[in-house]
């Protein structure tokens, strides 16, 4: 049975960033659940979700949070599933606060962290993790990367034509 992906955001205001990850996951037919949970305002619910995620059929958790951005670390502390953090840009410090809070995890509590507002790469990393045990998903990734390659080759060919015209 294919594993699901969980996408957890610290606030519904993070949806503008997070929806990119959800769209990408769904485009690869990855079953995805999306929740709002706060490391600070609903810590019991966040811990309960993370500690039961494996038994609920999840294979990876994506956590998006801004400012103090402790959500990914709190979830990672309560699960052995891979957790991917998305630091969300806020008005304060252009998201550097969230980036540093997400990447500075203590030893034994890893959080893979993507760029500030890097929801798409969080989704692709989640897909790559899930594809380790799902050959059909792995094949979709191979096909997607080949499409990207072909797109770059086409752009290069078009550029060569522009250069010839100079």
């Amino acid at each position: 049975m294919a594993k699901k992906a969980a996408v957890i955001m610290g606030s519904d205001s993070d949806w503008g960033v997070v929806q990119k990850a959800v769209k990408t996951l769904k485009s690869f037919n990855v079953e995805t659940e999306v929740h709002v949970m706060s490391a600070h305002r609903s810590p019991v619910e966040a811990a309960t979700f993370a500690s039961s995620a494996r038994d609920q059929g999840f294979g990876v958790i994506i956590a998006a949070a801004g400012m103090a951005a402790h959500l990914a670390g709190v979830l990672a502390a309560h699960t052995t599933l891979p957790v991917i953090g998305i630091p969300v840009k806020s008005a304060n410090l252009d998201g550097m606060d969230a980036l540093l809070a997400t990447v500075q995890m203590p030893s034994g509590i890893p959080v893979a962290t993507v760029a500030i507002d890097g929801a798409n790469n969080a989704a692709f990393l989640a897909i790559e993790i899930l594809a380790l045990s799902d050959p059909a998903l792995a094949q979709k990734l191979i096909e997607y990367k080949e499409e990207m390659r072909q797109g770059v080759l086409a752009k290069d060919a078009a550029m060569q034509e522009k250069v010839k015209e100079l």
Side-chain angles (χ1 to χ4, degrees), residues 44-100:
V44 171
E45 289 77 8
T48 300
F49 179 86
S51 64
S52 66
R54 183 181 298 277
D55 291 338
Q56 299 300 317
F58 292 96
V60 65
I61 299 172
I62 296 173
M67 299 182 353
H70 295 132
L71 182 60
V74 166
L75 295 171
H78 290 92
T79 188
T80 57
L81 292 176
V83 175
I84 303 165
I86 305 171
V88 177
K89 184 177 182 178
S90 65
N92 301 337
L93 305 173
D94 278 340
M96 285 301 295
D97 50 345
L99 175 64
L100 294 174

Side-chain angles (χ1 to χ4, degrees), residues 17-156:
V17 170
V18 171
Q19 68 181 329
K20 295 170 191 162
V22 175
K23 285 181 183 178
T24 298
L25 289 163
K26 289 188 173 210
S27 75
F28 278 81
N29 297 317
V30 173
E31 186 177 347
T32 306
E33 283 189 24
V34 181
H35 298 281
V36 176
M37 294 177 191
S38 171
H40 304 107
R41 293 184 209 102
S42 62
V44 171
E45 289 77 8
T48 300
F49 179 86
S51 64
S52 66
R54 183 181 298 277
D55 291 338
Q56 299 300 317
F58 292 96
V60 65
I61 299 172
I62 296 173
M67 299 182 353
H70 295 132
L71 182 60
V74 166
L75 295 171
H78 290 92
T79 188
T80 57
L81 292 176
V83 175
I84 303 165
I86 305 171
V88 177
K89 184 177 182 178
S90 65
N92 301 337
L93 305 173
D94 278 340
M96 285 301 295
D97 50 345
L99 175 64
L100 294 174
T102 306
V103 300
Q104 295 295 329
M105 292 295 106
S107 181
I109 310 296
V111 172
T113 307
V114 296
I116 296 168
D117 290 350
N120 232 9
N121 271 350
F124 280 111
L125 182 54
I127 292 164
E128 288 177 346
I129 290 167
L130 295 173
L132 290 171
S133 61
D134 185 336
L137 189 55
Q139 184 59 40
K140 288 178 188 176
L141 270 173
I142 290 167
E143 292 167 4
Y144 177 79
K145 288 193 174 194
E146 179 59 22
E147 288 173 23
M148 286 194 309
R149 179 179 160 276
Q150 291 299 327
V152 170
L153 294 176
K155 289 177 182 181
D156 181 59

